Each structure stands twice: as C-alpha cells, then as structure tokens.
Amino acid sequence: MSKKFLLLMPLFITTTTFVYPENLSTTKVSIQQIRFKEQAKQNYTTTVVNKLILPPRLKFGDTISIVASASNITHLNEIPEIKRRFESMGFKVILGKNIYASAPLPIGATKLSESNPNIKEDLDHSYIQYAGTPKERADDLMDMFKNQKVKAIIELRGGYGSAQILDLLDYDIIKQNPKILIGFSDITSLLLAINLQTGLVTFHGPVAVMDWNDFSYNYFKWLVMDGAYPLVLNKYIPALDDDGNISNLNFTITSGRAEGRLIGGNLTLLMNLLGTKYQPDFNHAILFVEDADEKDLYRIDRMLGQLKNSGALNKISGFIFASCSNCNLTSLGYSTLMKTFKEYIKPLKIPAFAGTMVGHFGSNYTLPIGSQVKIDADSGSMTIQNRVVQ
C-alpha cells in the first residue's frame, strides 16, 4: 500500500472499536419482538427458505474477478488502471469478458478493438448504456461463480441494469459455489436477490471504479479477509462528502438499541424489488438505505411512503438512513427530510439514526447483507456481531 496508507492506518484504528455483543443492552429488542407478534395480519409477504451461507474468506494471492452486471464504464482507459490497483493490493485479477462491452471509445481511438483486440465491433447498440445484453451480463456473472479459481467477485460499477439479469441467474449454482460478491448502488438488486434466493451473505461495499482509499480498503480487509468480529462501525459522515456536497446527516431519529438481520442498500433499487419474488424479508431486520442525486427530496418521502404502505416498515426492528449524496440538503431540503422521518420513521418507535459511511462517496464501509447486527441509535453505530466469512 502507499505511504498514505501507513500514515492513516492508526487514525482508522482509533475510530474502530472491537466490543463483545453482550455489552449492548437488548431490552428494547425484546419490546420490539413483542410488538411484532401483536401486529395484525398484513398483505405484504415474503418467503425465506435458505439457511445463511458464509463465503470462504479472501486471502492475499487469491484471484478476484471484476465483472460489469449493470452499466458500462465511462472511460475504457480506466480498466487497466483498475486491474493494476487490485494487483497492487496482492490479488490476481480476471476481467469479465463483457467488461469492455458497449463502452465509449477511448480518447483518440476510432474503434473499440484499438483498446482491446478481443472486443467485438458488431456490438448490439440497443444496449449501448449497459455492459452487454442481459443474457451476456448474467452469463458473465455465472461464469465467475462457476470458476473455481475465483474467490471474490467485485462489480465494476453501478449505474443501471442489474435487475434485468435476476431471472437469468442460476441460484442453485451460486448456492453450490459460495464466494464473496461486493458492490453497491444499482448492484443492490443483485445483493438482495442472491441473499434471499440462496442464503449467501453478500457485501454492500465499494465498486471497482472507486479509488479504494485507505478507509474503504481497511474495512473491506477487516471484514472479508481477517474475518474480524464483533466489529463496530461508528464513524459519522463528514459535514461535506468527498465531492464537496453538503451531507448534514448525523443525528438520532429515535433513541435506543436494536438487533436483527442486516438488509438494505440503494433506496430506489429497494423500491424496485417490492412486490417481486426478490423483495427481501423485512421481519425483525435492520434496514439501511442510501441514495444519490435526489435533488427533490419529496422523492425520498415517496419511497419511504411506499415502504410504509407495503407493510415493510412495520416489520423492521431498526432503521438507518445512511446518506443522500448530492441531494440538495439546503435548509429547505433538510426540513423536508426531517418531516419525512417524522411522518414515517418516528411512529415506528424503533431505534433509528441518520448518517454513516455508506453511500455515493469515496469512503465506504463494507456491510454484510443477511448477517446479524446491532445498532445504537444514540451513538450512531452498528456492530457486526458474527463472523461473515468462513
């Protein structure tokens, strides 16, 4: 790693606390469990049939794969740099066969094959914003799950398109070949669907195009390589995010502590799964959400309202509004957001807070979807209770 890594490492250690779960009170959890049992029947249903599966931990020298299950990359020239970055971390790297698909031409090139001789020039341009057709992207991801050399799959980027491939995946093969899958934003669809359909713990974390700074790298390593647990995540997002946007999201919505299975991700993508066979199981879950570029914050109100009307919010035991990058959090926007929390979250009477290092900015926690966590809404912290890799 860089000299910067060596300098910053002590700082991050001081903001990370390893504690034992029994140090946290479960009084409020038992109250919530009683409340859940007393709730009337609801039309909102989901089916959980799979036991939790932990993927093998990642080790230095292992092979990782970078695939593009959604949008293509903006600049082809970035791909070799991304590959070198992960090689410098100590991994072997296999690129998905569609990682260059439908991408814009590199600067100065007249055809895609000038960047990579394996690229087909007769691409299906109806999928120009995606990294190939849905079938091509699904086949690419499945090939990496079947490849015994690959120990972890890192999504290239989000964008849009991962929901298009959900029906094309072979969940039995994924279940038989458990491995680390990490990404966020549009990749939320894959993380939640695969966890629900197979029981495999998936990981909400940085995508390959991000710079993987020391903060993001350390939490990734501690969780999926060291297998550290219990691991407390207690760093608030800064007043300004990495792009200079006002974040202004560090506060308790409702005091208390709670525990449950961790589910969530991008709020918009979560909405797209409601009412489908891929919607997550909200029962007794800790739900975290993040979003970006929602400049009219009534959209957040609309989506949380949909969660309420579906019955999902009434089932969760804790809530985290992680971040909303580039979301116009001026005084008016902030007021709108607070009104939304008052309308939809406060009446639940469950522990809830806003502001944590998860979202569309450079520094991100890696979070295990499907694993057991505890939250403390007063300190704005989350504790990953169990080991999430074998």
Side-chain angles (χ1 to χ4, degrees), residues 30-210:
S30 61
I31 291 174
Q32 292 305 321
Q33 290 171 343
I34 292 172
R35 181 173 69 82
F36 291 138
K37 292 178 182 179
E38 294 175 345
Q39 287 178 343
K41 292 182 179 179
Q42 299 183 39
N43 293 327
Y44 184 90
T45 60
T46 198
T47 302
V48 178
V49 295
N50 293 292
K51 181 180 178 180
L52 198 65
I53 298 174
L54 306 184
R57 74 175 61 196
L58 186 65
K59 301 185 294 294
F60 290 119
D62 280 347
T63 298
I64 65 171
S65 172
I66 300 175
V67 299
S69 298
S71 291
N72 54 43
I73 196 167
T74 306
H75 301 293
L76 285 174
N77 311 62
E78 294 181 60
I79 295 177
E81 179 182 344
I82 292 169
K83 184 173 183 289
R84 285 193 296 270
R85 180 188 306 138
F86 285 98
E87 288 172 339
S88 71
M89 293 179 187
F91 305 115
K92 300 171 186 174
V93 180
I94 295 177
L95 298 178
K97 61 187 176 183
N98 288 313
I99 202 166
Y100 287 95
S102 300
L105 293 175
I107 297 173
T110 57
K111 55 184 181 179
L112 288 171
S113 55
E114 291 182 29
S115 175
N116 186 328
N118 296 320
I119 293 176
K120 297 178 181 178
E121 294 296 341
D122 57 342
L123 294 170
D124 184 348
H125 290 285
S126 62
Y127 291 95
I128 193 65
Q129 73 183 89
Y130 308 111
T133 66
K135 185 177 186 308
E136 288 170 338
R137 284 176 277 135
D139 288 348
D140 209 359
L141 183 58
M142 289 308 307
D143 286 346
M144 296 309 169
F145 270 105
K146 290 183 285 187
N147 189 328
Q148 297 304 305
K149 293 181 180 180
V150 173
K151 304 304 179 185
I153 302 169
I154 301 176
E155 288 286 345
L156 177 66
R157 59 163 298 188
Y160 179 72
S162 65
Q164 297 171 340
I165 75 173
L166 297 183
D167 282 346
L168 303 175
L169 302 178
D170 189 323
Y171 294 99
D172 288 334
I173 289 179
I174 293 174
K175 189 173 183 177
Q176 295 162 11
N177 297 273
K179 55 190 64 178
I180 294 162
L181 172 66
I182 182 170
F184 87 114
S185 192
D186 188 74
I187 306 304
T188 293
S189 298
L190 286 177
L191 302 179
L192 293 175
I194 290 175
N195 175 251
L196 181 72
Q197 296 293 318
T198 69
L200 176 65
V201 173
T202 55
F203 296 91
H204 186 284
V207 289
V209 295
M210 298 174 78

Side-chain angles (χ1 to χ4, degrees), residues 362-375:
S363 300
N364 264 262
Y365 289 133
T366 294
L367 300 180
I369 302 295
S371 185
Q372 200 75 7
V373 300
K374 287 185 178 182
I375 64 168

